[in-house]
Amino acid sequence: GQQVMQIPQYQHVQEGEDFTTYCNSSTTLSNIQWYKQRPGGHPVFLIQLVKSGEVKKQKRLTFQFGEAKKNSSLHITATQTTDVGTYFCAGGFRGSNYKLTFGKGTLLTVNP
Amino acid sequence: NAGVTQTPKFQVLKTGQSMTLQCAQDMNHEYMSWYRQDPGMGLRLIHYSVGAGITDQGEVPNGYNVSRSTTEDFPLRLLSAAPSQTSVYFCASLDFGGYTFGSGTRLTVV
């Protein structure tokens, strides 16, 4: 079936360090979405990328969609303790845009 | 505007029991999904619906049934609970942007 691989599984950083998580699909994606889940909470939508090579920014977060639309990344600059949580990517495949396949997520912990 | 409401928040079942997890949304979204979340497994799609009267299977549908009689409601039924169904269940609805998730149901089957 269609899979979205996400790495790393865990990342521990010191506050102020940068953080990046990566997603990869073996087949072309029609779109990719990113979510954040705080410990004990539910996933919260962050952003959607649709275009090849697209880059979007939200304050300290930068999201990229690869030229081939098979990979994506989320980069956080100068992490803060409020960034703690699990970050998921979710890919939509052609013909099933709304039937998203989630990566397994990257758990980010931040040491103050 | 409550978004997506799930009930109950917690549930303990005995093996073999049946139950229904409720999900309701007030955003008039056509697309709704049920996911289960297990440690290290991410979110896996159980069933989804593209509108009232239309449902389809996701990645892990066995042991679960759904129906969609109205746009607002999308209940998930466990037919005969098994310990392997111990998980956190999330209902979500989708607009042109991303999913809006409910707060989840933490289910334990003993």
Side-chain angles (χ1 to χ4, degrees):
Chain A
Q2 296 155 337
Q3 288 187 319
V4 174
M5 307 302 294
Q6 188 173 358
I7 58 168
Q9 190 174 1
Y10 307 98
Q11 184 77 59
H12 178 74
V13 300
Q14 291 292 126
E15 189 171 22
E17 292 181 338
D18 291 356
F19 160 76
T20 304
T21 175
Y22 302 90
C23 278
N24 185 65
S25 169
S26 58
T27 57
T28 303
L29 298 166
S30 60
N31 66 85
I32 193 155
Q33 299 182 4
W34 286 91
Y35 292 80
K36 177 184 179 180
Q37 184 178 25
R38 295 183 186 275
H42 59 275
V44 174
F45 173 71
L46 295 177
I47 209 161
Q48 176 173 262
L49 305 173
V50 179
K51 299 177 182 177
S52 169
E54 190 170 13
V55 178
K56 288 188 176 181
K57 293 189 176 183
Q58 290 179 349
K59 298 182 180 178
R60 294 178 294 104
L61 278 61
T62 301
F63 304 85
Q64 296 189 23
F65 201 9
E67 293 290 342
K69 299 182 72 173
K70 290 184 176 182
N71 56 75
S72 181
S73 65
L74 158 60
H75 179 82
I76 302 177
T77 303
T79 55
Q80 300 174 358
T81 55
T82 53
D83 295 325
V84 165
T86 300
Y87 293 85
F88 292 97
C89 61
F93 294 87
R94 191 163 304 187
S96 57
N97 285 1
Y98 298 129
K99 188 179 171 183
L100 297 180
T101 298
F102 279 78
K104 293 186 178 181
T106 297
L107 173 60
L108 172 64
T109 56
V110 180
N111 197 31
Chain B
N1 188 339
V4 178
T5 303
Q6 286 185 242
T7 56
K9 293 190 181 303
F10 301 94
Q11 183 71 50
V12 179
L13 287 179
K14 294 182 178 180
T15 297
Q17 286 185 318
S18 62
M19 78 159 294
T20 299
L21 279 63
Q22 302 292 344
C23 176
Q25 53 97 2
D26 60 359
M27 298 171 285
N28 203 34
H29 290 170
E30 293 294 332
Y31 193 92
M32 296 184 73
S33 299
W34 275 102
Y35 286 89
R36 61 176 288 173
Q37 185 173 34
D38 303 292
M41 299 296 291
L43 291 150
R44 292 183 292 171
L45 182 64
I46 304 171
H47 285 285
Y48 66 98
S49 169
V50 298
I54 306 170
T55 64
D56 205 347
Q57 297 181 351
E59 179 185 356
V60 288
N62 292 342
Y64 307 95
N65 272 357
V66 292
S67 60
R68 186 93 179 272
S69 56
T70 67
T71 299
E72 294 77 21
D73 299 302
F74 190 42
L76 178 71
R77 281 182 287 279
L78 279 70
L79 309 173
S80 177
S84 60
Q85 294 178 304
T86 293
S87 187
V88 180
Y89 291 85
F90 288 104
C91 177
S93 71
L94 181 68
D95 201 340
F96 295 107
Y99 274 117
T100 300
F101 281 84
S103 58
T105 295
R106 187 173 295 274
L107 175 68
T108 302
V109 182
V110 297

